[in-house]
Amino acid sequence: FLNLEEALLNPENVYRLNLNNQKIPTSDTIWSKFSNLQYLSLRNDQLKQIPSGIGNLKNLKILDLSGNDFKTLPSTFRNLLNLQELYLNDDKYFQLRKSINILSELPNLRSLHLENDGLKTLPKNINMLSQLDSLFLNNNEFKQLPTEIRGLKNLKYLDIHDNTLRPSNQEIHHQNSGLKIRF
């Protein structure tokens, strides 16, 4: 579905909802109606804050919040126990360090996209996201390979292309075995 009004006619039958480039109501009550929603995209919706009602989407697996103006995730995100992939691309104001605690409580989160966010470093507590197996950091401002990724024990894929870094052979050699890095 590409339209909220249309999706609300039979919300229990909605599995994918793409509301990109739209004005999203901040009412939290509408989200609980989408009991079977698995994919939600709110890309480029100029959201200053994420509706906390999104935390009611118990079956949500993929969430795209890219291109918005929020700073942190609402505490209700802790309820997204089935979330597997989260897109936070082009979110220049997003404060990753302040949201790590919430993200760390998502047991099924495997893939995190932090592309084009103006990141120069990773927060020291990124290792709290030990469940991640894919991390996308391309198009940021890293000058060297973030050493903090060593704490991500399940990380198998790191995309860090289009940064200004030039890793040494030693940096690559010391990475987790089996880690695929895209420069």
Side-chain angles (χ1 to χ4, degrees):
F1 286 85
L2 303 173
N3 178 295
L4 186 58
E5 291 77 26
E6 185 179 316
L8 283 168
L9 294 176
N10 290 304
E12 64 282 347
N13 294 330
V14 177
Y15 295 91
R16 291 183 57 88
L17 189 55
N18 182 336
L19 301 176
N20 297 345
N21 302 301
Q22 297 182 34
K23 181 76 173 154
I24 303 302
T26 56
S27 169
D28 289 333
T29 58
I30 63 165
W31 300 108
S32 60
K33 296 177 182 181
F34 294 102
S35 57
N36 295 310
L37 193 64
Q38 295 179 14
Y39 172 90
L40 175 62
S41 181
L42 300 176
R43 182 182 283 268
N44 299 322
D45 288 335
Q46 301 169 354
L47 296 171
K48 300 268 187 238
Q49 65 181 25
I50 304 302
S52 61
I54 290 176
N56 295 323
L57 300 172
K58 303 290 186 206
N59 291 308
L60 195 63
K61 293 181 180 176
I62 301 170
L63 177 59
D64 190 344
L65 297 172
S66 300
N68 285 288
D69 299 327
F70 62 92
K71 292 181 180 178
T72 59
L73 300 173
S75 62
T76 57
F77 263 50
R78 289 179 167 96
N79 301 328
L80 297 175
L81 300 179
N82 289 308
L83 191 65
Q84 297 172 5
E85 189 162 15
L86 179 60
Y87 291 82
L88 298 169
N89 302 329
D90 305 302
D91 292 330
K92 301 286 186 203
Y93 303 109
F94 181 62
Q95 299 172 359
L96 177 60
R97 186 183 55 75
K98 291 185 178 181
S99 295
I100 294 278
N101 285 339
I102 292 169
L103 293 173
S104 71
E105 294 184 36
L106 303 176
N108 290 303
L109 184 64
R110 299 292 182 259
S111 184
L112 181 60
H113 297 259
L114 299 168
E115 303 165 48
N116 198 32
D117 284 343
L119 297 173
K120 295 177 183 176
T121 61
L122 289 177
K124 301 265 185 252
N125 61 348
I126 192 88
N127 64 345
M128 292 177 68
L129 304 181
S130 60
Q131 74 279 20
L132 286 183
D133 63 28
S134 299
L135 181 59
F136 297 82
L137 299 173
N138 46 308
N139 294 308
N140 279 291
E141 299 175 20
F142 292 101
K143 296 203 183 310
Q144 59 185 355
L145 197 61
T147 58
E148 293 81 8
I149 64 168
R150 290 183 183 150
L152 300 173
K153 299 300 182 195
N154 290 312
L155 194 65
K156 292 179 179 60
Y157 182 79
L158 174 67
D159 189 342
I160 195 159
H161 77 278
D162 290 334
N163 282 273
T164 57
L165 57 91
R166 293 285 174 245
S168 67
N169 287 337
Q170 184 179 8
E171 283 179 310
I172 294 171
H173 187 269
H174 287 312
Q175 295 307 316
N176 299 345
S177 63
L179 176 64
K180 180 179 179 183
I181 301 174
R182 179 176 176 227
F183 292 103

